[in-house]
Amino acid sequence: MTLVNDAAPAAVNTTGRRFRAFTAKHLDELTARAGLTTEQRLAIQAVATVLPFRTNSYVVDELIDWSAAPDDPIYRLVFPQEDMLPAEDVARISDLLRRGAPRAEVNAAAHEVRLKLNPHPAGQLQLNVPTLHEEPMPGVQHKYPETVLFFPKQGQTCHAYCTYCFRWAQFVGEPDLKMAGDDVDRLKRYLRAHPEVTSVLITGGDPMIMGEPVLRRYVEPLLELEQLESIRIGSKALAYWPQRWVTDPDADDTLRLFEKVVNSGKNLAFMAHFTHPRELEPHLVSEATRRIRSTGAVIRTQAPLIRTINDAPLTWETMWRRQLRMGMIPYYMFVERDTGPQDYFAVPLARAYEIFRDAYKNTSGLCRTVRGPSMSATPGKVCVDGVVEIGGEKLFMLHFIQCRDPEFVNRPFFAKYDPEAVWLTDLRPAFGDRFPFEGHVPGGDVTAHDVVAAGPSL
Protein backbone atom coordinates (compact mmCIF):
# COMPACT_ATOMS: atom_id res chain seq x y z
CA MET A 1 0.00 0.00 0.00
CA THR A 2 1.37 3.41 -0.97
CA LEU A 3 0.46 6.12 1.50
CA VAL A 4 2.82 9.03 1.96
CA ASN A 5 2.53 10.44 -1.55
CA ASP A 6 -0.98 9.17 -2.10
CA ALA A 7 -3.02 12.22 -1.17
CA ALA A 8 -6.05 13.71 -2.90
CA PRO A 9 -5.42 16.00 -5.89
CA ALA A 10 -4.69 19.62 -5.09
CA ALA A 11 -7.88 20.64 -6.92
CA VAL A 12 -9.83 19.65 -3.82
CA ASN A 13 -9.69 22.99 -2.05
CA THR A 14 -10.50 21.72 1.46
CA THR A 15 -7.54 19.38 1.80
CA GLY A 16 -5.19 21.98 3.23
CA ARG A 17 -7.59 23.40 5.81
CA ARG A 18 -7.29 22.65 9.46
CA PHE A 19 -10.32 21.38 11.29
CA ARG A 20 -12.51 24.16 12.67
CA ALA A 21 -15.48 23.40 14.88
CA PHE A 22 -18.62 25.50 15.22
CA THR A 23 -20.56 25.19 18.47
CA ALA A 24 -23.60 26.82 20.08
CA LYS A 25 -21.76 30.12 20.43
CA HIS A 26 -21.70 30.35 16.61
CA LEU A 27 -25.37 29.47 16.14
CA ASP A 28 -26.76 32.98 15.90
CA GLU A 29 -24.29 33.97 13.19
CA LEU A 30 -24.83 30.78 11.18
CA THR A 31 -28.63 30.68 11.44
CA ALA A 32 -28.76 34.32 10.36
CA ARG A 33 -26.99 33.14 7.21
CA ALA A 34 -29.99 30.84 6.67
CA GLY A 35 -32.28 33.89 6.67
CA LEU A 36 -33.97 33.22 10.01
CA THR A 37 -35.52 35.99 12.07
CA THR A 38 -34.26 37.08 15.48
CA GLU A 39 -37.12 35.25 17.21
CA GLN A 40 -36.50 32.07 15.21
CA ARG A 41 -32.80 32.19 16.07
CA LEU A 42 -33.63 32.58 19.75
CA ALA A 43 -35.87 29.49 19.60
CA ILE A 44 -33.04 27.55 17.95
CA GLN A 45 -30.69 28.67 20.72
CA ALA A 46 -33.24 27.33 23.19
CA VAL A 47 -33.29 23.94 21.48
CA ALA A 48 -29.47 23.92 21.52
CA THR A 49 -29.45 24.26 25.31
CA VAL A 50 -31.21 20.86 25.48
CA LEU A 51 -29.76 18.97 22.50
CA PRO A 52 -26.13 19.23 21.38
CA PHE A 53 -24.95 21.30 18.42
CA ARG A 54 -21.59 20.99 16.73
CA THR A 55 -20.53 21.18 13.10
CA ASN A 56 -17.35 22.06 11.22
CA SER A 57 -15.96 24.08 8.34
CA TYR A 58 -16.12 21.18 5.87
CA VAL A 59 -19.84 20.61 6.47
CA VAL A 60 -20.61 24.33 6.44
CA ASP A 61 -18.54 25.18 3.36
CA GLU A 62 -18.76 22.02 1.24
CA LEU A 63 -21.98 20.18 2.04
CA ILE A 64 -24.71 22.70 2.91
CA ASP A 65 -26.52 24.50 0.09
CA TRP A 66 -27.05 27.82 1.84
CA SER A 67 -29.27 29.11 -0.96
CA ALA A 68 -31.79 26.42 0.05
CA ALA A 69 -31.40 26.79 3.83
CA PRO A 70 -33.16 26.27 6.17
CA ASP A 71 -34.87 23.60 4.01
CA ASP A 72 -31.62 22.15 2.70
CA PRO A 73 -31.35 18.52 3.93
CA ILE A 74 -27.75 18.83 5.13
CA TYR A 75 -28.61 22.03 6.99
CA ARG A 76 -31.46 20.16 8.68
CA LEU A 77 -29.12 17.28 9.37
CA VAL A 78 -26.80 19.35 11.56
CA PHE A 79 -28.68 22.49 12.67
CA PRO A 80 -31.39 22.43 15.36
CA GLN A 81 -34.90 23.39 14.28
CA GLU A 82 -37.18 25.41 16.52
CA ASP A 83 -39.99 22.82 16.42
CA MET A 84 -37.83 19.80 17.29
CA LEU A 85 -39.01 20.00 20.90
CA PRO A 86 -42.45 20.66 22.45
CA ALA A 87 -43.46 24.30 21.94
CA GLU A 88 -43.98 24.90 25.65
CA ASP A 89 -40.45 23.74 26.48
CA VAL A 90 -38.92 25.88 23.74
CA ALA A 91 -40.97 28.91 24.85
CA ARG A 92 -39.90 28.48 28.47
CA ILE A 93 -36.19 28.29 27.69
CA SER A 94 -36.43 31.06 25.08
CA ASP A 95 -37.89 33.31 27.76
CA LEU A 96 -35.01 32.47 30.11
CA LEU A 97 -32.49 33.33 27.40
CA ARG A 98 -34.34 36.51 26.43
CA ARG A 99 -34.20 37.92 29.95
CA GLY A 100 -30.63 36.80 30.56
CA ALA A 101 -31.43 34.29 33.29
CA PRO A 102 -28.47 32.80 35.21
CA ARG A 103 -26.78 29.92 33.42
CA ALA A 104 -27.66 27.57 36.29
CA GLU A 105 -31.36 28.30 35.80
CA VAL A 106 -31.14 27.68 32.04
CA ASN A 107 -29.22 24.44 32.61
CA ALA A 108 -31.79 23.22 35.14
CA ALA A 109 -34.61 23.82 32.67
CA ALA A 110 -32.69 22.05 29.91
CA HIS A 111 -32.04 19.09 32.22
CA GLU A 112 -35.76 18.73 32.93
CA VAL A 113 -36.50 18.56 29.22
CA ARG A 114 -33.73 16.03 28.58
CA LEU A 115 -35.10 13.62 31.13
CA LYS A 116 -38.41 13.57 29.23
CA LEU A 117 -36.62 12.53 26.02
CA ASN A 118 -35.69 8.94 26.99
CA PRO A 119 -31.93 9.58 26.86
CA HIS A 120 -30.98 5.89 27.01
CA PRO A 121 -33.34 3.81 24.87
CA ALA A 122 -33.47 0.02 24.43
CA GLY A 123 -32.26 -0.83 27.90
CA GLN A 124 -28.77 0.61 27.37
CA LEU A 125 -28.11 1.24 31.05
CA GLN A 126 -30.52 -1.21 32.69
CA LEU A 127 -29.89 -4.27 30.54
CA ASN A 128 -26.78 -3.90 28.42
CA VAL A 129 -24.01 -2.99 30.90
CA PRO A 130 -22.15 -6.21 31.79
CA THR A 131 -20.21 -6.93 34.96
CA LEU A 132 -16.84 -8.51 35.65
CA HIS A 133 -16.51 -10.03 39.12
CA GLU A 134 -19.77 -8.28 40.06
CA GLU A 135 -18.40 -4.85 39.10
CA PRO A 136 -20.05 -2.93 36.20
CA MET A 137 -18.01 -2.38 33.04
CA PRO A 138 -18.11 1.37 32.27
CA GLY A 139 -18.24 2.13 28.57
CA VAL A 140 -19.16 -1.43 27.58
CA GLN A 141 -22.46 -2.72 26.19
CA HIS A 142 -23.22 -6.41 25.68
CA LYS A 143 -26.71 -6.88 24.27
CA TYR A 144 -26.23 -9.79 21.85
CA PRO A 145 -24.11 -12.85 22.73
CA GLU A 146 -21.56 -12.52 19.94
CA THR A 147 -21.07 -8.72 19.92
CA VAL A 148 -19.66 -6.27 22.47
CA LEU A 149 -19.77 -2.49 22.05
CA PHE A 150 -16.96 -0.39 23.50
CA PHE A 151 -17.13 3.40 24.01
CA PRO A 152 -13.54 4.71 24.35
CA LYS A 153 -13.43 7.74 26.62
CA GLN A 154 -11.53 9.94 24.15
CA GLY A 155 -13.95 9.11 21.31
CA GLN A 156 -17.16 10.44 22.84
CA THR A 157 -17.62 13.42 20.59
CA CYS A 158 -17.96 13.82 16.79
CA HIS A 159 -16.69 16.04 14.00
CA ALA A 160 -20.31 17.21 13.74
CA TYR A 161 -23.54 16.13 15.45
CA CYS A 162 -26.62 14.90 13.62
CA THR A 163 -29.86 16.46 14.81
CA TYR A 164 -31.54 13.04 14.96
CA CYS A 165 -28.69 11.32 16.85
CA PHE A 166 -29.90 8.62 19.22
CA ARG A 167 -26.70 9.03 21.26
CA TRP A 168 -27.27 12.73 21.89
CA ALA A 169 -26.99 12.11 25.64
CA GLN A 170 -23.26 11.44 25.17
CA PHE A 171 -22.67 15.06 24.19
CA VAL A 172 -24.68 17.27 26.57
CA GLY A 173 -22.19 17.48 29.40
CA GLU A 174 -24.13 15.39 31.92
CA PRO A 175 -21.81 12.68 33.30
CA ASP A 176 -24.69 10.49 34.53
CA LEU A 177 -25.96 10.16 30.95
CA LYS A 178 -22.62 9.38 29.34
CA MET A 179 -21.18 5.97 28.45
CA ALA A 180 -17.38 5.89 28.32
CA GLY A 181 -14.49 3.67 29.38
CA ASP A 182 -10.71 3.51 29.04
CA ASP A 183 -9.69 0.22 30.65
CA VAL A 184 -8.86 -1.94 27.65
CA ASP A 185 -7.13 -4.55 29.83
CA ARG A 186 -10.34 -5.11 31.77
CA LEU A 187 -12.22 -5.29 28.48
CA LYS A 188 -9.84 -8.04 27.34
CA ARG A 189 -10.42 -9.97 30.56
CA TYR A 190 -14.16 -9.72 30.04
CA LEU A 191 -13.88 -10.93 26.45
CA ARG A 192 -11.71 -13.88 27.44
CA ALA A 193 -14.34 -14.81 30.01
CA HIS A 194 -16.96 -14.69 27.25
CA PRO A 195 -15.64 -16.79 24.37
CA GLU A 196 -19.00 -16.46 22.63
CA VAL A 197 -18.02 -12.87 21.74
CA THR A 198 -16.56 -12.83 18.24
CA SER A 199 -16.93 -9.15 17.34
CA VAL A 200 -16.13 -5.85 19.04
CA LEU A 201 -17.70 -2.62 17.81
CA ILE A 202 -15.75 0.50 18.77
CA THR A 203 -18.31 3.27 18.85
CA GLY A 204 -19.20 6.62 20.33
CA GLY A 205 -19.49 9.47 19.70
CA ASP A 206 -17.05 8.76 16.91
CA PRO A 207 -13.84 6.76 17.40
CA MET A 208 -12.29 8.58 14.45
CA ILE A 209 -12.23 11.81 16.44
CA MET A 210 -9.27 10.18 18.23
CA GLY A 211 -5.77 10.58 16.91
CA GLU A 212 -3.97 7.48 15.68
CA PRO A 213 -1.85 6.94 18.83
CA VAL A 214 -4.97 6.89 21.02
CA LEU A 215 -6.95 4.73 18.61
CA ARG A 216 -4.02 2.31 18.45
CA ARG A 217 -4.02 1.93 22.26
CA TYR A 218 -7.55 0.57 22.06
CA VAL A 219 -7.28 -1.48 18.86
CA GLU A 220 -3.92 -3.25 19.14
CA PRO A 221 -4.67 -5.16 22.38
CA LEU A 222 -7.76 -6.68 20.74
CA LEU A 223 -5.60 -8.27 18.06
CA GLU A 224 -4.25 -10.64 20.71
CA LEU A 225 -7.67 -12.25 21.17
CA GLU A 226 -7.95 -15.30 18.96
CA GLN A 227 -11.71 -15.51 19.52
CA LEU A 228 -12.38 -12.23 17.70
CA GLU A 229 -13.33 -12.60 14.06
CA SER A 230 -13.99 -8.93 13.43
CA ILE A 231 -13.38 -5.45 14.75
CA ARG A 232 -15.89 -2.81 13.76
CA ILE A 233 -15.49 0.97 13.87
CA GLY A 234 -18.71 3.00 13.78
CA SER A 235 -18.08 6.44 12.32
CA LYS A 236 -19.66 9.42 10.57
CA ALA A 237 -16.23 10.91 9.84
CA LEU A 238 -16.13 9.71 6.23
CA ALA A 239 -19.08 12.04 5.59
CA TYR A 240 -18.20 14.87 7.99
CA TRP A 241 -14.37 14.98 7.85
CA PRO A 242 -12.87 12.76 5.09
CA GLN A 243 -9.59 14.59 5.59
CA ARG A 244 -9.08 12.16 8.47
CA TRP A 245 -7.73 9.61 5.92
CA VAL A 246 -6.21 11.94 3.35
CA THR A 247 -4.53 15.10 4.65
CA ASP A 248 -4.70 15.01 8.45
CA PRO A 249 -1.20 14.66 9.96
CA ASP A 250 -1.86 11.10 11.14
CA ALA A 251 -3.83 9.94 8.09
CA ASP A 252 -1.09 7.56 6.89
CA ASP A 253 -0.50 6.14 10.37
CA THR A 254 -4.24 5.50 10.76
CA LEU A 255 -4.31 3.58 7.51
CA ARG A 256 -1.31 1.52 8.61
CA LEU A 257 -3.21 0.66 11.79
CA PHE A 258 -6.17 -0.48 9.68
CA GLU A 259 -3.78 -2.57 7.62
CA LYS A 260 -2.35 -4.15 10.77
CA VAL A 261 -5.82 -5.27 11.85
CA VAL A 262 -6.44 -6.92 8.49
CA ASN A 263 -2.98 -8.54 8.46
CA SER A 264 -3.70 -10.02 11.88
CA GLY A 265 -6.35 -12.19 10.23
CA LYS A 266 -9.36 -10.26 11.48
CA ASN A 267 -12.05 -8.58 9.45
CA LEU A 268 -11.97 -4.80 9.86
CA ALA A 269 -15.44 -3.46 9.15
CA PHE A 270 -15.70 0.30 8.87
CA MET A 271 -19.35 1.13 9.58
CA ALA A 272 -19.83 4.39 7.69
CA HIS A 273 -22.86 6.58 8.33
CA PHE A 274 -24.19 8.35 5.23
CA THR A 275 -27.57 10.02 5.62
CA HIS A 276 -27.91 11.78 2.26
CA PRO A 277 -26.37 11.36 -1.22
CA ARG A 278 -24.75 14.79 -1.08
CA GLU A 279 -22.37 13.51 1.59
CA LEU A 280 -20.94 11.15 -1.04
CA GLU A 281 -20.35 13.77 -3.75
CA PRO A 282 -17.04 15.46 -2.80
CA HIS A 283 -13.97 13.97 -4.46
CA LEU A 284 -12.32 13.96 -1.05
CA VAL A 285 -14.82 11.29 0.09
CA SER A 286 -13.95 9.11 -2.91
CA GLU A 287 -10.26 9.47 -2.14
CA ALA A 288 -10.71 8.69 1.55
CA THR A 289 -12.85 5.67 0.63
CA ARG A 290 -10.23 4.41 -1.81
CA ARG A 291 -7.49 4.73 0.80
CA ILE A 292 -9.49 2.92 3.49
CA ARG A 293 -10.36 0.08 1.11
CA SER A 294 -6.70 -0.21 0.07
CA THR A 295 -5.91 -1.42 3.60
CA GLY A 296 -8.21 -4.43 3.18
CA ALA A 297 -10.90 -2.93 5.40
CA VAL A 298 -14.53 -3.36 4.31
CA ILE A 299 -16.79 -0.30 4.34
CA ARG A 300 -20.42 -0.99 5.20
CA THR A 301 -22.94 1.83 5.12
CA GLN A 302 -25.93 2.57 7.32
CA ALA A 303 -28.24 5.39 8.34
CA PRO A 304 -31.68 5.98 9.78
CA LEU A 305 -34.69 7.03 7.75
CA ILE A 306 -35.33 10.64 8.80
CA ARG A 307 -38.33 12.81 8.00
CA THR A 308 -37.47 15.98 6.00
CA ILE A 309 -33.92 14.74 5.32
CA ASN A 310 -34.02 11.43 3.42
CA ASP A 311 -37.66 10.26 3.45
CA ALA A 312 -37.90 9.55 -0.29
CA PRO A 313 -37.14 6.32 -2.21
CA LEU A 314 -34.98 8.07 -4.81
CA THR A 315 -32.72 9.43 -2.07
CA TRP A 316 -31.95 5.93 -0.80
CA GLU A 317 -31.69 4.38 -4.25
CA THR A 318 -29.21 7.07 -5.26
CA MET A 319 -27.23 6.61 -2.07
CA TRP A 320 -27.00 2.81 -2.32
CA ARG A 321 -26.07 2.82 -5.99
CA ARG A 322 -23.37 5.44 -5.51
CA GLN A 323 -21.99 3.58 -2.50
CA LEU A 324 -21.78 0.42 -4.57
CA ARG A 325 -19.84 2.22 -7.32
CA MET A 326 -17.42 3.49 -4.67
CA GLY A 327 -16.83 -0.04 -3.39
CA MET A 328 -18.93 0.19 -0.23
CA ILE A 329 -21.52 -2.36 0.92
CA PRO A 330 -25.02 -1.03 1.71
CA TYR A 331 -25.89 -2.54 5.08
CA TYR A 332 -28.80 -0.99 7.04
CA MET A 333 -31.73 1.38 6.79
CA PHE A 334 -32.68 2.06 10.40
CA VAL A 335 -35.85 3.50 11.87
CA GLU A 336 -35.42 6.62 14.01
CA ARG A 337 -35.01 5.45 17.61
CA ASP A 338 -37.37 6.22 20.47
CA THR A 339 -35.22 8.93 22.02
CA GLY A 340 -34.61 12.64 21.70
CA PRO A 341 -36.76 14.44 19.10
CA GLN A 342 -38.21 11.17 17.74
CA ASP A 343 -41.65 12.70 17.22
CA TYR A 344 -40.11 15.29 14.92
CA PHE A 345 -37.98 12.99 12.76
CA ALA A 346 -39.79 9.63 12.80
CA VAL A 347 -41.43 8.16 9.69
CA PRO A 348 -44.37 5.76 10.26
CA LEU A 349 -43.37 2.12 9.83
CA ALA A 350 -45.83 1.61 6.98
CA ARG A 351 -44.31 4.49 5.06
CA ALA A 352 -40.78 3.38 5.99
CA TYR A 353 -41.43 -0.01 4.43
CA GLU A 354 -42.78 1.60 1.24
CA ILE A 355 -39.70 3.81 0.95
CA PHE A 356 -37.37 0.85 1.49
CA ARG A 357 -39.24 -1.35 -1.00
CA ASP A 358 -39.44 1.32 -3.70
CA ALA A 359 -35.71 2.07 -3.42
CA TYR A 360 -34.70 -1.59 -3.16
CA LYS A 361 -36.61 -2.70 -6.26
CA ASN A 362 -34.61 -0.31 -8.47
CA THR A 363 -31.18 -1.57 -7.43
CA SER A 364 -29.07 -4.48 -8.64
CA GLY A 365 -28.49 -7.58 -6.58
CA LEU A 366 -25.16 -6.21 -5.35
CA CYS A 367 -27.00 -3.36 -3.61
CA ARG A 368 -29.49 -5.74 -2.04
CA THR A 369 -27.15 -6.50 0.82
CA VAL A 370 -29.02 -3.72 2.61
CA ARG A 371 -31.52 -4.63 5.36
CA GLY A 372 -34.42 -2.64 6.70
CA PRO A 373 -36.32 -0.82 7.78
CA SER A 374 -34.91 -2.01 11.11
CA MET A 375 -35.69 -0.95 14.69
CA SER A 376 -32.98 -1.37 17.34
CA ALA A 377 -35.50 -1.94 20.12
CA THR A 378 -35.18 -3.36 23.63
CA PRO A 379 -35.58 -7.05 22.66
CA GLY A 380 -33.47 -6.77 19.50
CA LYS A 381 -33.19 -5.55 15.91
CA VAL A 382 -36.66 -5.90 14.37
CA CYS A 383 -37.05 -5.69 10.60
CA VAL A 384 -40.33 -4.73 8.94
CA ASP A 385 -40.68 -7.28 6.11
CA GLY A 386 -43.91 -6.01 4.65
CA VAL A 387 -47.66 -5.60 4.91
CA VAL A 388 -49.76 -8.72 4.32
CA GLU A 389 -53.41 -9.74 4.53
CA ILE A 390 -54.33 -12.86 6.54
CA GLY A 391 -57.94 -13.87 7.08
CA GLY A 392 -59.08 -10.56 5.70
CA GLU A 393 -56.99 -8.59 8.21
CA LYS A 394 -54.12 -6.28 7.26
CA LEU A 395 -50.94 -7.06 9.24
CA PHE A 396 -47.29 -6.15 9.52
CA MET A 397 -44.91 -9.05 8.97
CA LEU A 398 -41.67 -8.68 10.95
CA HIS A 399 -38.64 -10.68 12.05
CA PHE A 400 -35.62 -10.33 14.34
CA ILE A 401 -32.30 -9.69 12.62
CA GLN A 402 -30.77 -9.84 16.10
CA CYS A 403 -32.33 -10.69 19.45
CA ARG A 404 -31.35 -10.89 23.10
CA ASP A 405 -32.71 -14.43 22.90
CA PRO A 406 -31.07 -15.96 19.79
CA GLU A 407 -33.95 -18.46 19.51
CA PHE A 408 -36.08 -15.71 17.99
CA VAL A 409 -33.58 -14.64 15.31
CA ASN A 410 -35.04 -14.86 11.79
CA ARG A 411 -38.41 -16.16 13.05
CA PRO A 412 -41.32 -14.18 11.53
CA PHE A 413 -44.04 -12.70 13.70
CA PHE A 414 -47.06 -10.52 12.97
CA ALA A 415 -48.51 -7.29 14.33
CA LYS A 416 -51.79 -5.54 13.67
CA TYR A 417 -51.44 -2.96 10.94
CA ASP A 418 -51.28 0.58 12.28
CA PRO A 419 -50.56 3.34 9.76
CA GLU A 420 -49.45 5.71 12.54
CA ALA A 421 -47.06 3.34 14.38
CA VAL A 422 -43.44 4.50 14.41
CA TRP A 423 -41.87 2.01 16.86
CA LEU A 424 -42.18 -1.54 18.15
CA THR A 425 -43.98 -0.40 21.29
CA ASP A 426 -46.72 1.15 19.13
CA LEU A 427 -47.59 -2.27 17.70
CA ARG A 428 -50.04 -4.87 19.01
CA PRO A 429 -49.83 -8.64 18.47
CA ALA A 430 -51.86 -10.00 15.58
CA PHE A 431 -52.51 -13.35 17.23
CA GLY A 432 -53.06 -13.70 20.95
CA ASP A 433 -52.38 -11.17 23.64
CA ARG A 434 -48.61 -11.03 23.36
CA PHE A 435 -45.80 -11.34 20.86
CA PRO A 436 -43.85 -14.63 20.80
CA PHE A 437 -40.77 -13.00 22.36
CA GLU A 438 -42.75 -11.61 25.29
CA GLY A 439 -42.85 -13.86 28.33
CA HIS A 440 -42.07 -14.43 31.95
CA VAL A 441 -38.63 -13.78 33.40
CA PRO A 442 -37.51 -13.49 37.02
CA GLY A 443 -39.08 -10.32 38.36
CA GLY A 444 -42.39 -10.53 36.53
CA ASP A 445 -44.04 -10.38 33.13
CA VAL A 446 -42.36 -8.30 30.48
CA THR A 447 -43.51 -7.03 27.12
CA ALA A 448 -42.05 -5.14 24.20
CA HIS A 449 -42.75 -2.06 26.29
CA ASP A 450 -40.52 -3.23 29.14
CA VAL A 451 -37.28 -5.04 29.78
CA VAL A 452 -36.68 -8.46 28.31
CA ALA A 453 -33.57 -9.95 29.86
CA ALA A 454 -30.75 -9.26 32.26
CA GLY A 455 -27.40 -8.11 30.91
CA PRO A 456 -24.55 -10.63 30.76
CA SER A 457 -22.20 -10.83 33.71
CA LEU A 458 -19.45 -12.89 35.24
Side-chain angles (χ1 to χ4, degrees):
M1 176 176 62
T2 302
L3 291 172
V4 176
N5 297 312
D6 199 14
V12 181
N13 63 12
T14 58
T15 57
R17 296 186 192 172
R18 294 178 61 85
F19 180 83
R20 181 191 176 193
F22 297 103
T23 62
K25 67 182 180 182
H26 303 102
L27 256 178
D28 194 62
E29 171 191 351
L30 290 168
T31 51
R33 185 175 172 183
L36 302 183
T37 67
T38 301
E39 199 62 25
Q40 288 173 320
R41 299 202 304 272
L42 181 65
I44 288 170
Q45 289 279 4
V47 173
T49 67
V50 176
L51 298 169
F53 168 73
R54 175 182 167 94
T55 190
N56 66 62
S57 50
Y58 174 80
V59 176
V60 167
D61 296 337
E62 303 297 326
L63 297 185
I64 294 174
D65 178 0
W66 287 97
S67 68
D71 296 324
D72 176 69
I74 305 298
Y75 176 91
R76 298 182 70 79
L77 177 58
V78 294
F79 279 85
Q81 286 93 61
E82 60 182 305
D83 49 349
M84 277 172 54
L85 297 175
E88 60 273 18
D89 292 329
V90 175
R92 176 190 172 196
I93 298 175
S94 293
D95 184 61
L96 292 174
L97 295 175
R98 188 181 292 108
R99 59 185 174 85
R103 174 52 55 183
E105 188 176 352
V106 175
N107 288 345
H111 177 74
E112 288 180 22
V113 178
R114 287 178 191 137
L115 294 186
K116 296 188 290 184
L117 297 176
N118 188 24
H120 283 299
Q124 288 184 144
L125 295 186
Q126 299 89 348
L127 300 178
N128 298 354
V129 178
T131 60
L132 182 64
H133 304 308
E134 300 183 355
E135 290 292 325
M137 300 277 295
V140 178
Q141 297 263 297
H142 192 180
K143 182 175 181 179
Y144 307 123
E146 67 282 351
T147 305
V148 159
L149 277 63
F150 183 59
F151 296 74
K153 181 177 69 174
Q154 298 91 334
Q156 300 316 305
T157 185
C158 297
H159 292 91
Y161 298 145
C162 299
T163 43
Y164 62 75
C165 183
F166 80 96
R167 292 225 174 104
W168 60 271
Q170 293 286 92
F171 317 129
V172 294
E174 297 204 27
D176 291 345
L177 298 181
K178 192 168 186 175
M179 296 178 287
D182 61 0
D183 193 341
V184 72
D185 289 333
R186 193 158 184 254
L187 173 64
K188 282 172 59 181
R189 291 197 297 275
Y190 178 81
L191 294 173
R192 285 194 172 108
H194 287 269
E196 73 275 15
V197 178
T198 59
S199 181
V200 171
L201 169 58
I202 302 173
T203 186
D206 194 324
M208 296 315 304
I209 204 79
M210 297 188 291
E212 185 275 339
V214 180
L215 182 63
R216 181 179 293 271
R217 290 209 308 266
Y218 289 113
V219 170
E220 276 192 334
L222 300 178
L223 304 185
E224 302 168 12
L225 300 176
E226 189 66 30
Q227 72 196 76
L228 293 184
E229 299 168 355
S230 66
I231 294 173
R232 291 183 251 178
I233 297 176
S235 178
K236 182 75 178 175
L238 196 50
Y240 280 169
W241 191 254
Q243 290 92 326
R244 182 67 185 79
W245 294 273
V246 182
T247 58
D248 275 8
D250 60 347
D252 290 354
D253 289 339
T254 298
L255 293 166
R256 291 189 181 100
L257 176 60
F258 283 14
E259 200 171 41
K260 183 173 184 178
V261 175
V262 175
N263 290 341
S264 76
K266 302 188 189 304
N267 178 278
L268 177 59
F270 189 83
M271 317 304 291
H273 295 240
F274 289 104
T275 317
H276 192 273
R278 195 181 303 158
E279 297 170 318
L280 295 156
E281 291 175 2
H283 179 78
L284 198 56
V285 177
S286 297
E287 184 64 14
T289 298
R290 185 189 66 78
R291 300 192 92 207
I292 292 170
R293 292 184 62 237
S294 74
T295 69
V298 176
I299 302 176
R300 296 180 183 270
T301 62
Q302 55 193 29
L305 176 63
I306 301 296
R307 190 178 68 85
T308 77
I309 293 175
N310 61 16
D311 54 338
L314 183 59
T315 301
W316 287 88
E317 176 191 338
T318 301
M319 200 153 50
W320 293 335
R321 293 173 70 173
R322 184 168 293 159
Q323 288 162 359
L324 178 66
R325 288 197 299 271
M326 295 171 71
M328 306 180 197
I329 300 174
Y331 189 52
Y332 266 118
M333 174 199 277
F334 289 116
V335 173
E336 171 66 347
R337 286 201 183 186
D338 56 336
T339 181
Q342 182 199 29
D343 291 345
Y344 184 79
F345 286 121
V347 175
L349 297 176
R351 178 59 184 150
Y353 172 69
E354 291 175 355
I355 292 170
F356 179 88
R357 180 198 62 201
D358 288 347
Y360 188 89
K361 71 183 183 183
N362 291 326
T363 63
S364 72
L366 292 176
C367 277
R368 293 182 182 177
T369 49
V370 69
R371 298 180 286 185
S374 170
M375 293 173 275
S376 290
T378 301
K381 280 191 175 73
V382 178
C383 187
V384 181
D385 291 325
V387 177
V388 298
E389 190 171 304
I390 299 178
E393 184 178 5
K394 201 173 183 181
L395 305 173
F396 283 119
M397 181 176 176
L398 310 102
H399 83 280
F400 279 103
I401 296 172
Q402 270 282 22
C403 191
R404 290 184 188 276
D405 183 348
E407 289 301 313
F408 292 105
V409 171
N410 213 33
R411 285 172 55 181
F413 64 98
F414 297 87
K416 294 181 182 296
Y417 179 80
D418 180 351
E420 303 302 320
V422 298
W423 196 248
L424 183 63
T425 51
D426 297 330
L427 300 178
R428 295 294 174 263
F431 309 111
D433 59 357
R434 62 176 57 193
F435 289 112
F437 54 89
E438 296 174 335
H440 184 78
V441 295
D445 289 318
V446 295
T447 70
H449 304 68
D450 303 307
V451 300
V452 180
S457 63
L458 179 69

